[in-house]
Amino acid sequence: MAEILILYYSVGGSVRRMAELVAEGVERVPGAAARLRTVPKVAPVTQSAAPAVPPDGAPYCELRDLESCAALALGSPTRFGNMAAPLKHFLDGTSVQWLSGALAGKPACVFTSTGSMHGGQETTLLSMMLPLLHHGMLIVGLPYTQAELMSTRSGGTPYGPSHFAGAADDQPVADAERLLCIAQGKRLAETALKLAR
Ligand SMILES: Cc1cc2nc3c(=O)[nH]c(=O)nc-3n(C[C@H](O)[C@H](O)[C@H](O)COP(=O)(O)O)c2cc1C
């Protein structure tokens, strides 16, 4: 069974919902299984540490989850046009995996959610790819054969799924956005299985 790691950070639930949809796409591929993981908030050292186990949602990611996965889907809210600090903080702790090439040759994809329609979905997705490329990962986007890329009135990009959540972060994932999340998960899992042959 190829384990596809879906590593995300979410405060308001939008990226978490997207992660669940990417997982749905992964699970549609026979021989692939989704592993949902998150990261804790970052805090100044003077503040108390997060509990070892999150109160709800996915467990915290461990470095061995990265080492053992067949593929990685990375999801973050857009924060000033970039990925959120807790996810970047986690990635900044992966020097050992970078040195050993633990992720080299594995496929990866990225997804994000924003509060405004043109608030940096594409910059966030592209910048999320940078550390993955440094790790030698093979970036898997979304092809325009996926009809929703043309018909969407909100999120969805060839760089990866995206969601326009609105200023209050309360808009449900639109149909086109949902289908693109599922398609991305499926495509990532299929690619992982092809590469493993
Ligand atoms: C500090 C901060 C910075 C943000 N920066 C942006 C931004 O640059 N562009 C944007 O459209 N939304 C921005 N947002 C809104 C979030 O990206 C949006 O609410 C997202 O859907 C949150 O995802 P979540 O519900 O998974 O936490 C920002 C939110 C916060 C708290």
Side-chain angles (χ1 to χ4, degrees):
M1 190 63 84
E3 276 190 358
I4 313 298
L5 178 61
I6 302 170
L7 174 58
Y8 69 93
Y9 180 70
S10 180
V11 175
S14 293
V15 175
R16 178 174 166 179
R17 176 69 189 127
M18 293 180 81
E20 290 162 357
L21 290 165
V22 173
E24 190 179 322
V26 166
E27 299 278 351
R28 286 188 188 183
V29 179
R35 174 179 288 208
L36 281 155
R37 292 290 183 272
T38 190
V39 292
K41 290 183 177 180
V42 287
V45 285
T46 48
Q47 290 184 9
S48 59
V53 178
D56 65 346
Y60 291 135
C61 191
E62 295 180 23
L63 291 170
R64 64 178 174 210
D65 293 321
L66 280 182
E67 288 163 2
S68 65
C69 74
L72 170 68
L74 191 67
S76 173
T78 288
R79 294 267 169 99
F80 304 114
N82 212 318
M83 85 172 92
L87 209 51
K88 178 70 163 52
H89 181 70
F90 179 81
L91 292 173
D92 284 357
T94 59
S95 299
V96 169
Q97 288 67 33
W98 170 70
L99 281 168
S100 71
L103 294 171
K106 295 181 183 181
C109 70
V110 292
F111 56 99
T112 191
S113 172
T114 58
S116 57
M117 184 78 98
H118 303 289
Q121 294 187 348
E122 292 172 350
T123 57
T124 301
L125 293 173
L126 290 171
S127 60
M128 288 172 76
M129 292 177 190
L130 299 179
L132 305 183
L133 287 166
H134 277 251
H135 270 289
M137 302 197 86
L138 310 174
I139 305 296
V140 178
L142 281 167
Y144 271 91
T145 45
Q146 204 63 46
E148 298 80 18
L149 276 187
M150 289 300 266
S151 63
T152 181
R153 311 304 294 172
S154 50
T157 86
Y159 313 105
S162 60
H163 168 50
F164 166 51
D169 196 22
D170 61 355
Q171 295 303 303
V173 175
D175 269 354
E177 296 173 337
R178 180 177 59 79
L179 291 169
L180 290 169
C181 285
I182 293 170
Q184 181 75 83
K186 192 164 174 284
R187 191 158 194 255
L188 183 69
E190 285 168 349
T191 304
L193 289 174
K194 279 182 196 162
L195 287 169
R197 266 187 217 143

